[in-house]
Each structure stands twice: as structure tokens, then as C-alpha cells.
């Protein structure tokens, strides 16, 4: 009787069981193909960013001149200073050239380089959205694991129903509701947490300052977690339900392993793979923060900066913040594909 190795042909026999060169070569080719797709997507973002924002109503020069008595000649001079008097194709070529040199231009409203403004607002966004992401991932994975392992239980029904309810609630409505109940207060019940900005006007120093910033983070972070954690719960629950039905779980139980060991050592690690991909995808959105949440609570992050740019409209500031957000999402999605390809052998063999 021939063995599987003998019937596989000379190519497999030559490679041997310990030769992983084909796998490494395939991984490299896969990563390069994904990187090429990401670069193409970024190029499309650069093109789309310029033309889409030009479709917004409003004249930036006239909006910036509100409250000042400027003559038509002065408006034309300001338009020439901003480069808005050039033909659209010339503006586009200038924009592409500056972007390739990592020069995102100067804000119309703030009269400062866009990169400087983004650098100032990036820290608060990473603090708020990063904290919310960590809490949402931890809560979603824990509840999803327990709900999937105890499928049909009271905890499963309650946690799944509550997460779906919060996920379906509009973010702005939930934020306003939390602000009204926990920030402003209702009737005789006073507000508990501050809901404007990142710090108090008379913010203290040292550890007291940390506590002050943390108190300002409670409501926006709670809003973010409430509308996001359901994704991780549902993905983790669904993945675990699929793993529980696999033969290896039955074999592990047949060997006498306790349910806790089967879940922790076998089912959960495999069920985490789709959740890992989702986490990488959400990291890209962390850079952009949450425009709605930051606007509601006037949190001084990238989301609030983008809202201020749209209000003017400030073309250079809109372009810079939007490109940063979309490029971060594209890069993280590409990394998620590559990491999933590395972690799951079923994808590599597909």
C-alpha cells in the first residue's frame, strides 16, 4: 500500500515536511498584492478627496470674510492668496504635488499648517477612541464568549438583545441622552460628569489633572463603547458557536477534559480569528476618532477638527483630516488581511 507522501508526487517529496519555503513565498506574494491594492486605494482617495469636497456648497472666502467689510477687490485678492482663482485642474495638480511631498497645505481658517493642527488634535483622539476601543473589545469578547458557550441561556438572550438595541441606537441620540441624564441632570437629580471639552477651565496639576481628564472622558467614552462593543460580541459569539460544533471539541470532551479547559485552550483561540481581523479594522477608525461623539461633547480631537473644517468650508483642512482617516483605515484593513492570512491555515490553503 502506498503512503500519502508517495502518491503526492515528486514536488511534495522534494520539499519535505520541514520545508516552508513555498509557504513563505506565498505569504510574501499575498502581502505584496495586498500592499499594491492599498496603494491603488490611497491614490483613488487622493483624487476623490480633492474633487468631492469641491462639490460642497459655500464659498470659503465669503465665509471667512463674514463680519468684515471687504470689497470685491479684497475678496479677489484673498481668493488669489489661497490659490482658488486658478483653474480646477491646476489646483488639483498642485494638491497632488504637495501631498506627495507630505505638505497638506495651510488652513484657511486657522492660518496654520494642516499637519500642525492634526498633530495637536491627534493625542486627544487617540486617548478617547483608543480607550473606548480597548474597553469595547474586552467587554465584547468576554460577553461573546460566555453567550456563545452558554447558547440559549438567559445571559445569552439578555446580552445579545441589549447589544443589538444599543447598536441600533443613533450615536448622536445616545450621546445627547447620556449628556442630559448624567451630565446636565434631570429634575432633582444633579449631573454627575462634565460633558464639555477635555479638561476643566481651572484644571489642577499633577494626579488631580489626570482625574479631571478621566472624568471628562466618561460620557464620550461610554457613548463610544455602547455603540461599538456589540460588533465584537456578535462576531465572537457566532465564531464560538461554529467552533463548538467542530469534531475537535467533541474529541476533547471525550478525552475527559473539563468544559473550562475545552473552551479556554481549544475553542476560544480558534474563534478569536475573525475578532482579531475586526480589531485591526477598527484601529484604523481610532485615528479618525468619532466625529459625532467628539462634536457632541466638544472633544478637541480630529473628529471635531473635521467638523469645524466642513462648517467653513476649509478645503485644505478637510482634505488633510479626511486623507489621514481614510489612509489609516486602508492600512489597517490591509494589515488585517495579512495577519488573518498568517494566523489561519485554512485561508492560506484556499
Amino acid at each position: 500500500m502506498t503512503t500519502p507522501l508517495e502518491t503526492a508526487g515528486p514536488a511534495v517529496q522534494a520539499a519535505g515536511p520541514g520545508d516552508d519555503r513555498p509557504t513563505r513565498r506565498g505569504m510574501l506574494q499575498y502581502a505584496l498584492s495586498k500592499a499594491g491594492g492599498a496603494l491603488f486605494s490611497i491614490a483613488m482617495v487622493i483624487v476623490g478627496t480633492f474633487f468631492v469636497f469641491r462639490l460642497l456648497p459655500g464659498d470659503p472666502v465669503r465665509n471667512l470674510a463674514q463680519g468684515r467689510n471687504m470689497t470685491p477687490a479684497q475678496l479677489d485678492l484673498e481668493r488669489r492668496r489661497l490659490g482658488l482663482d486658478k483653474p480646477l485642474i491646476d489646483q488639483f495638480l498642485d494638491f497632488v504635488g504637495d501631498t506627495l511631498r507630505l505638505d497638506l497645505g495651510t488652513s484657511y481658517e486657522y492660518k496654520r499648517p494642516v499637519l500642525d493642527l492634526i498633530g495637536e488634535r491627534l493625542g486627544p483622539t487617540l486617548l478617547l477612541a483608543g480607550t473606548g476601543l480597548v474597553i469595547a473589545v474586552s467587554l465584547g469578547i468576554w460577553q461573546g464568549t460566555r453567550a456563545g458557550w452558554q447558547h440559549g441561556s438567559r445571559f445569552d438572550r439578555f446580552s445579545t438583545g441589549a447589544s443589538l438595541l444599543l447598536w441600533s441606537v443613533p450615536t448622536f441620540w445616545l450621546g445627547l441622552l447620556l449628556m442630559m441624564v448624567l451630565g446636565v441632570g434631570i429634575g432633582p437629580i444633579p449631573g454627575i460628569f462634565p460633558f464639555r471639552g477635555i479638561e476643566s477651565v481651572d484644571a489642577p496639576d499633577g494626579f488631580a489633572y489626570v482625574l479631571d481628564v478621566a472624568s471628562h472622558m466618561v460620557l464620550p467614552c461610554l457613548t463610544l463603547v455602547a455603540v461599538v462593543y456589540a460588533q465584537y460580541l456578535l462576531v465572537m459569539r457566532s465564531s464560538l458557536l461554529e467552533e463548538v460544533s467542530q469534531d475537535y471539541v467533541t474529541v476533547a470532551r471525550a478525552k475527559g477534559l473539563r468544559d473550562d479547559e475545552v473552551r479556554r485552550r481549544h475553542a476560544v483561540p480558534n474563534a478569536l480569528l475573525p475578532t482579531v481581523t475586526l480589531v485591526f479594522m477598527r484601529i484604523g477608525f481610532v485615528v479618525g476618532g468619532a466625529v459625532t461623539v467628539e462634536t457632541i461633547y466638544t472633544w478637541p480631537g480630529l473628529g471635531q477638527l473635521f467638523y469645524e473644517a466642513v462648517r467653513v468650508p476649509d478645503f485644505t483642512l478637510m482634505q488633510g483630516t479626511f486623507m489621514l482617516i481614510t489612509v489609516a483605515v486602508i492600512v489597517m484593513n490591509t494589515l488585517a488581511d495579512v495577519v488573518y492570512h498568517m494566523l489561519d491555515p485554512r485561508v492560506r490553503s484556499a
Side-chain angles (χ1 to χ4, degrees):
M1 184 176 67
T2 59
T3 64
L5 184 59
E6 293 172 342
T7 59
V12 176
Q13 297 178 40
D19 192 345
D20 59 348
R21 286 176 297 178
T23 302
R24 291 181 180 179
R25 188 181 303 116
M27 277 297 306
L28 180 59
Q29 292 176 350
Y30 183 82
L32 290 177
S33 66
K34 287 296 180 181
L39 290 176
F40 178 77
S41 299
I42 292 174
M44 293 298 99
V45 166
I46 292 176
V47 175
T49 297
F50 177 84
F51 289 103
V52 167
F53 287 134
R54 262 50 181 193
L55 299 177
L56 292 176
D59 183 355
V61 175
R62 291 191 177 277
N63 290 338
L64 291 173
Q66 288 182 357
R68 294 183 295 171
N69 294 323
M70 297 182 66
T71 64
Q74 291 174 320
L75 292 176
D76 291 339
L77 181 63
E78 182 71 9
R79 192 170 284 106
R80 284 197 298 272
R81 186 184 67 83
L82 297 176
L84 297 177
D85 63 320
K86 297 180 180 179
L88 191 61
I89 186 62
D90 291 342
Q91 295 184 43
F92 172 70
L93 293 177
D94 292 341
F95 167 70
V96 172
D98 292 340
T99 302
L100 294 178
R101 294 192 298 270
L102 300 182
D103 179 8
L104 300 181
T106 302
S107 168
Y108 298 167
E109 184 176 14
Y110 293 97
K111 307 296 190 297
R112 295 178 54 197
V114 172
L115 277 178
D116 291 348
L117 293 171
I118 290 177
E120 292 176 358
R121 301 294 186 99
L122 187 59
T125 288
L126 292 178
L127 176 63
L128 174 62
T131 303
L133 178 65
V134 171
I135 296 175
V137 170
S138 304
L139 182 63
I141 290 178
W142 174 74
Q143 287 197 357
T145 299
R146 185 174 175 184
W149 196 255
Q150 301 176 3
H151 177 55
S153 65
R154 182 178 302 175
F155 179 84
D156 178 27
R157 295 194 298 270
F158 175 78
S159 61
T160 304
S163 63
L164 285 174
L165 176 64
L166 290 173
W167 198 10
S168 62
V169 172
T171 305
F172 73 90
W173 186 84
L174 180 61
L176 292 175
L177 180 64
L178 291 176
M179 180 190 298
M180 181 178 64
V181 175
L182 299 178
V184 179
I186 298 180
I189 303 176
I192 303 174
F193 302 105
F195 54 90
R196 292 294 182 189
I198 191 175
E199 62 185 17
S200 302
V201 177
D202 53 345
D205 297 326
F207 184 69
Y209 176 76
V210 176
L211 294 178
D212 181 65
V213 173
S215 65
H216 281 78
M217 282 181 57
V218 171
L219 291 182
C221 192
L222 181 60
T223 305
L224 278 176
V225 171
V227 298
V228 168
Y229 90 98
Q231 302 177 50
Y232 304 104
L233 186 153
L234 296 175
V235 170
M236 188 65 193
R237 177 181 179 274
S238 176
S239 300
L240 191 59
L241 285 175
E242 183 178 352
E243 295 299 328
V244 167
S245 63
Q246 299 296 321
D247 292 339
Y248 72 88
V249 174
T250 305
V251 172
R253 284 171 167 167
K255 288 182 177 180
L257 294 179
R258 294 178 302 168
D259 269 8
D260 182 61
E261 290 181 300
V262 175
R263 181 183 71 247
R264 188 180 66 255
R265 296 173 53 187
H266 298 281
V268 170
N270 289 327
L272 276 172
L273 291 174
T275 308
V276 170
T277 304
L278 183 60
V279 170
F280 268 92
M281 294 172 64
R282 292 299 304 181
I283 289 176
F285 289 99
V286 166
V287 178
V291 177
T292 304
V293 172
E294 291 188 359
T295 302
I296 292 173
Y297 296 102
T298 59
W299 187 266
L302 289 178
Q304 176 72 5
L305 184 65
F306 182 75
Y307 168 77
E308 294 170 357
V310 173
R311 184 173 47 84
V312 172
D314 189 335
F315 289 151
T316 54
L317 190 54
M318 282 192 296
Q319 291 165 176
T321 52
F322 182 78
M323 278 198 301
L324 177 66
I325 295 171
T326 51
V327 168
V329 172
I330 292 171
V331 171
M332 287 300 112
N333 286 354
T334 304
L335 287 178
D337 287 339
V338 174
V339 169
Y340 196 88
H341 192 80
M342 292 172 59
L343 294 178
D344 196 344
R346 293 170 296 183
V347 177
R348 294 199 299 266
S349 61

